[in-house]
Amino acid sequence: MLKIHNPFTGKIIREMEMDTPPAIAAAYEKARRGQRQWAATVFKEREQIIRVFRNSLEQNVEQLARTLTSEMGKPKQQAKDEILGTCQRIDFFLEQTASELKMKEVYRKAQATERISYDPLGVVANISAWNYPYFVGSNVFVPALLTGNAVLYKPSEFATLTGLAIADLLYAAGVPQDVFVLVIGTGAVGAELLRQRLDGVFFTGSYATGRKIAIEAAKHLMKIQLELGGKDPTYVCDDVEAKSVAASLADGAFYNAGQSCCAVERIYVHAKVYDAFLAAFVDTVRGFRMGDPCDESTYIGPLTRAAQLSVLEEQVNDAVAQGAEILVGGRRVDGPGNFFEPTVLAGVSHKMLVMREESFGPVIGIQKVDGDEQALELMRDTKFGLTAGVYSADRERAERILREVDSGSAYVNCCDRVSPRLPWSGRGNSGIGVTLSLHGIQAFLKPRAWHVEG
Ligand code: NAD
């Protein structure tokens, strides 16, 4: 039985049966049959259905945000922003998918032509994380459906009610029930899903689970995409106005209680602006309102998973034991509610867990550096490679530094940002494959090479 908790009250809000292995096998067979018919529909029909879905997200934003807040504790305003932001992402896919599906002629000579056509992958699994269930879900199921795939969608066990709401709206819009199939349960259910003869798995979650997915998927040689965690660094150069940069980075570190894959997780500050930056950063963090996530003025809500409180505690204790100083916060708050105080640590080093392991919570380490070279060395000292950022008045300087850091996204004077027009991808332990952008549409297609003579 899946017990769904409200992370603010600590109460169980719903209990649900999880899918059993026979039910998962049946869901797969159903999707296999449904996909053939779905792929045979004209694109305009699929496009129209997804447009209706997109509009229904907008129309139901209040109710959907309430559900999301109740099961994962995301402050209501941020939940609404996520849902409306998802509409913009869907707009991108609606505008761009038709041209990606068109046959392309790449060569012609006398009677001979070479062309590329595109087929859907077939039946794909979408195994999703809970922290931005609308974003990370729709990055996969929207282009997958538009390109003619069937989707077995397993929402995170911490965002199941949102998964159900998404399915309801897709069905109401006209997606057949055998084309988008919901699979409910924990990691064990996800593992069972991977035992089906899938054509692809699109996973968003932690590095540890991503490895397991890759190993399981390899047994059937299916296409695999993994969007995993990060330990995203930002370097603040000596030529910036410290106050505005501090405000921007505090938001990048603490939005969604730091539970963002591209949250700022490490900050390096040039010695010349270090004191001014630190003072402004601490000031901003002290101003963050923590509390009831249903209250629209709340900025920091509870953590979604109670287990993460101990991870943060361990990181803070380890840092302090090795000489770090807590400037703000540092403790979990007595329950009910999975609250951890927004925490700023100074005097940190790369010997500490907080600068090496993903925190995925409202804790940030800030380290003083003596120049670009040291900053670069520290930024590169990680196995992750999701995003990296530099704040500088000199754009050339920022871009030069970022070219030396192996990350899927590079931020110049900004952070914690995702655009539907740009590829979203991780390097190293941050993942394999791309969502969003035209690459994120192609990801759901198989090219066929046509050699035509005569
Ligand atoms: P998780 O790895 O615990 O779970 C992710 C999903 O995998 C869930 O649906 C879970 O039920 C399922 N799962 C667990 N074990 C499985 C198994 N053995 N086989 C198949 N499925 C299994 O991650 P999470 O806690 O949901 O999400 C947090 C992580 O996701 C963080 O590391 C974060 O950085 C990362 N994330 C990355 C991105 C990105 O775009 N790169 C976006 C959001 C979150």
Side-chain angles (χ1 to χ4, degrees):
M1 191 64 87
L2 185 62
K3 291 186 168 57
I4 298 169
H5 289 85
N6 177 322
F8 175 60
T9 62
K11 294 203 171 111
I12 294 174
I13 49 176
R14 184 98 168 253
E15 295 191 51
M16 291 177 69
E17 295 288 345
M18 291 197 255
D19 278 307
T20 59
I24 294 166
Y28 166 77
E29 291 301 336
K30 187 162 101 166
R32 182 58 74 193
R33 285 191 300 274
Q35 193 268 330
R36 285 188 204 107
Q37 279 193 317
W38 181 244
T41 56
V42 290
F43 175 72
K44 282 258 166 250
E45 193 179 319
R46 302 198 294 271
E47 183 191 36
Q48 181 52 25
I49 289 172
I50 295 299
R51 197 179 299 285
V52 172
F53 167 69
R54 175 247 181 261
N55 292 339
S56 64
L57 286 179
E58 202 169 57
Q59 284 148 15
N60 294 290
V61 62
E62 278 294 330
Q63 173 59 34
L64 297 171
R66 219 173 295 135
T67 301
L68 182 53
T69 298
S70 74
E71 66 180 333
M72 70 145 294
K74 187 186 294 252
K76 177 104 175 291
Q77 189 53 49
Q78 295 176 19
K80 287 204 279 193
D81 289 346
E82 181 186 346
I83 295 161
L84 297 176
T86 300
C87 295
Q88 288 171 14
R89 291 194 186 185
I90 297 175
D91 287 340
F92 171 82
F93 290 124
L94 287 170
E95 280 159 21
Q96 301 296 332
T97 304
S99 59
E100 293 305 299
L101 288 168
K102 283 203 181 106
M103 165 106 72
K104 294 178 181 64
E105 186 177 284
V106 291
Y107 179 79
R108 174 185 284 270
K109 194 169 181 188
Q111 293 296 304
T113 59
E114 293 177 1
R115 284 178 264 147
I116 307 171
S117 69
Y118 298 93
D119 299 316
L121 295 176
V123 178
V124 300
N126 179 1
I127 301 179
S128 196
W130 47 264
N131 60 333
Y132 285 94
Y134 284 95
F135 280 152
V136 299
S138 67
N139 286 356
V140 173
F141 67 73
V142 169
L145 292 171
L146 280 172
T147 50
N149 296 278
V151 179
L152 289 160
Y153 176 60
K154 196 197 91 56
S156 163
E157 55 272 41
F158 297 99
T160 303
L161 301 180
T162 292
L164 287 167
I166 287 172
D168 282 348
L169 293 182
L170 282 169
Y171 299 146
V175 175
Q177 304 228 0
D178 56 2
V179 167
F180 184 85
V181 186
L182 206 58
V183 176
I184 299 290
T186 55
V189 168
E192 185 61 30
L193 185 52
L194 288 172
R195 292 189 192 109
Q196 315 306 310
R197 303 293 298 179
L198 299 165
D199 299 300
V201 56
F202 293 77
F203 170 77
T204 311
S206 61
Y207 167 71
T209 310
R211 280 196 77 232
K212 290 186 200 160
I213 302 264
I215 290 165
E216 196 57 38
K219 294 179 188 163
H220 308 304
L221 290 185
M222 65 182 80
K223 166 150 188 170
I224 171 166
Q225 284 209 176
L226 307 171
E227 300 204 337
L228 310 178
K231 190 70 195 167
D232 298 2
T234 302
Y235 169 41
V236 181
C237 295
D238 53 347
D239 57 359
V240 299
E241 195 278 303
K243 206 169 163 195
S244 62
V245 174
S248 164
L249 281 175
D251 185 46
F254 292 99
Y255 191 83
N256 199 27
Q259 303 169 114
S260 308
C261 53
C262 52
V264 175
E265 288 248 344
R266 300 180 278 152
I267 302 178
Y268 305 102
V269 185
H270 194 290
K272 269 197 202 156
V273 290
Y274 182 76
D275 289 342
F277 176 86
L278 215 57
F281 193 92
V282 164
D283 238 28
T284 308
V285 175
R286 287 216 168 97
F288 287 153
R289 219 184 132 107
M290 185 168 83
D292 182 351
C294 293
D295 179 340
E296 298 215 7
S297 63
T298 292
Y299 179 76
I300 294 190
L303 297 186
T304 305
R305 293 176 311 145
Q308 197 66 11
L309 294 167
S310 309
V311 173
L312 298 179
E313 227 161 33
E314 191 195 355
Q315 289 195 355
V316 172
N317 291 342
D318 165 75
V320 170
Q322 296 194 67
E325 189 189 350
I326 299 173
L327 299 183
V328 193
R331 289 179 310 120
R332 71 163 84 191
V333 180
D334 287 341
N338 308 329
F339 284 99
F340 200 94
E341 294 173 343
T343 298
V344 181
L345 294 164
V348 292
S349 79
H350 273 220
K351 290 200 183 102
M352 301 171 187
L353 292 171
V354 74
M355 297 305 270
R356 307 200 68 85
E357 308 279 331
E358 189 177 41
S359 302
F360 218 60
V363 172
I364 186 78
I366 304 180
Q367 188 167 350
K368 192 192 312 191
V369 293
D370 56 22
D372 296 3
E373 219 165 286
Q374 192 194 3
L376 186 54
E377 192 185 314
L378 290 167
M379 289 170 93
R380 290 163 56 113
D381 181 25
T382 178
K383 291 196 169 75
F384 291 106
L386 193 58
T387 83
V390 172
Y391 283 73
S392 170
D394 178 352
R395 228 174 66 184
E396 276 301 305
R397 175 181 175 188
E399 289 184 19
R400 197 171 54 242
I401 295 167
L402 287 169
R403 271 194 291 274
E404 299 296 318
V405 183
D406 199 21
S407 65
S409 293
Y411 296 133
V412 177
N413 294 323
C414 58
C415 60
D416 190 24
R417 184 180 188 282
V418 180
S419 161
R421 296 169 294 277
L422 294 174
W424 184 246
S425 68
R427 300 182 181 182
N429 286 3
S430 292
I432 299 173
V434 181
T435 52
L436 299 176
S437 77
L438 299 183
H439 296 280
I441 298 173
Q442 286 290 338
F444 299 94
L445 293 168
K446 291 183 288 203
R448 189 195 301 268
W450 291 89
H451 308 246
V452 182
E453 299 206 10

